[in-house]
Amino acid sequence: MKNPILVAVIVLLAITVIQIDGKYKFGDIIVFPKKCFMKGARPVYKHYAIYVGPSSEIDIGQGDNDIFHRTGEYTLKTDCRFDKLETTRGKWKERVDNYLDGIPEMKNATNEEDIIKRINLTIQNCREYGVFGNNCEHLATYVRYGLKISLQRGTLAKFLFRIPSKVRKILGGIKKDEAKEMSCESVHGTTNRKGNFFSRMTKKIKSLG
């Protein structure tokens, strides 16, 4: 007969692994590599979003959605909306990229109150999508820092984006270790690791029977 206490402990461990592996803070900028040709390559471009919960325990009307972003879908009346990580992720692993956090001028801009205010303002006035003037990265940096910037760092598309002189001065304050470029890392690597964990635990439970 299976030991119910051991089974419960194994299940709790499995849940803990999942929670730790995907934990983000409210207001974090999340980047998603897009159009990757292979693992380790530079993505063609990166999609940007703001993490909003629901595990953050801050209610801004997101329901059970995880992120706030703009989709670039021209058919929508407004493409600034709440969405889910899993449906946005694709096959390449996302990560946090709060790349202006180390700059003194941005220090007071990342408080929760201002981030919530900017999200609400953007929902009410999303404005028309523009690749070079009003894209998903412009939205994410505005919501977190109050400053619209799009650099597409570490992508093949970065050479298409011009950096205004004012922004260039601000970027001069980014430390080298905070400006690391992102390469494509397959989600399957993480999935397989979790899969192996569950496989081992399943075998352990069966061996108790």
Side-chain angles (χ1 to χ4, degrees):
M1 184 177 177
K2 298 180 178 63
N3 186 328
I5 296 178
L6 181 58
V7 172
V9 169
I10 291 172
V11 171
L12 285 172
L13 282 173
I15 293 172
T16 301
V17 168
I18 295 173
Q19 288 177 337
I20 291 175
D21 201 48
K23 188 174 183 180
Y24 300 115
K25 296 177 183 177
F26 181 86
D28 277 343
I29 293 178
I30 310 296
V31 291
F32 304 82
K34 296 293 182 179
K35 306 295 183 184
C36 295
F37 296 111
M38 65 178 71
K39 182 179 179 181
R42 287 188 179 187
V44 174
Y45 68 96
K46 291 185 290 190
H47 180 64
Y48 284 73
I50 293 290
Y51 185 75
V52 295
S55 59
S56 65
E57 298 183 353
I58 297 176
D59 183 9
I60 53 173
Q62 74 271 44
D64 62 350
N65 292 300
D66 309 291
I67 59 174
F68 177 68
H69 67 155
R70 72 176 311 154
T71 64
E73 297 178 32
Y74 294 100
T75 56
L76 296 175
K77 185 176 181 181
T78 173
D79 65 327
C80 298
R81 66 186 192 193
F82 298 113
D83 224 326
K84 292 186 179 295
L85 269 172
E86 59 192 43
T87 57
T88 307
R89 179 180 290 120
K91 62 184 291 188
W92 303 103
K93 189 177 180 182
E94 81 283 352
R95 71 168 171 83
V96 174
D97 190 15
N98 300 323
Y99 61 86
L100 297 182
D101 274 17
I103 298 175
E105 294 92 325
M106 301 292 107
K107 187 175 182 181
N108 296 324
T110 58
N111 63 81
E112 291 178 357
E113 184 179 346
D114 284 342
I115 289 174
I116 292 170
K117 186 184 299 182
R118 292 185 200 119
I119 288 175
N120 288 327
L121 286 173
T122 307
I123 290 174
Q124 296 168 18
N125 188 20
C126 187
R127 295 187 179 180
E128 185 178 351
Y129 179 87
V131 174
F132 300 109
N134 203 20
N135 65 29
C136 59
E137 187 177 0
H138 289 112
L139 174 71
T141 55
Y142 168 71
V143 169
R144 183 166 180 84
Y145 304 111
L147 182 67
K148 290 186 176 183
I149 296 178
S150 184
L151 306 176
Q152 286 294 310
R153 296 179 309 126
T155 71
L156 298 179
K158 73 176 183 179
F159 301 104
L160 301 174
F161 290 80
R162 297 179 61 184
I163 306 175
S165 57
K166 184 181 79 169
V167 174
R168 195 181 296 275
K169 289 180 181 179
I170 293 175
L171 296 178
I174 300 179
K175 296 178 182 178
K176 289 184 178 180
D177 60 338
E178 293 171 341
K180 291 180 180 177
E181 296 184 341
M182 182 182 187
S183 60
C184 300
E185 182 180 347
S186 176
V187 169
H188 298 306
T190 305
T191 303
N192 289 339
R193 180 160 50 84
K194 289 179 182 176
N196 291 336
F197 175 84
F198 285 116
S199 178
R200 292 196 303 270
M201 294 301 100
T202 301
K203 289 178 180 179
K204 181 66 176 177
I205 293 173
K206 288 181 178 179
S207 69
L208 298 174

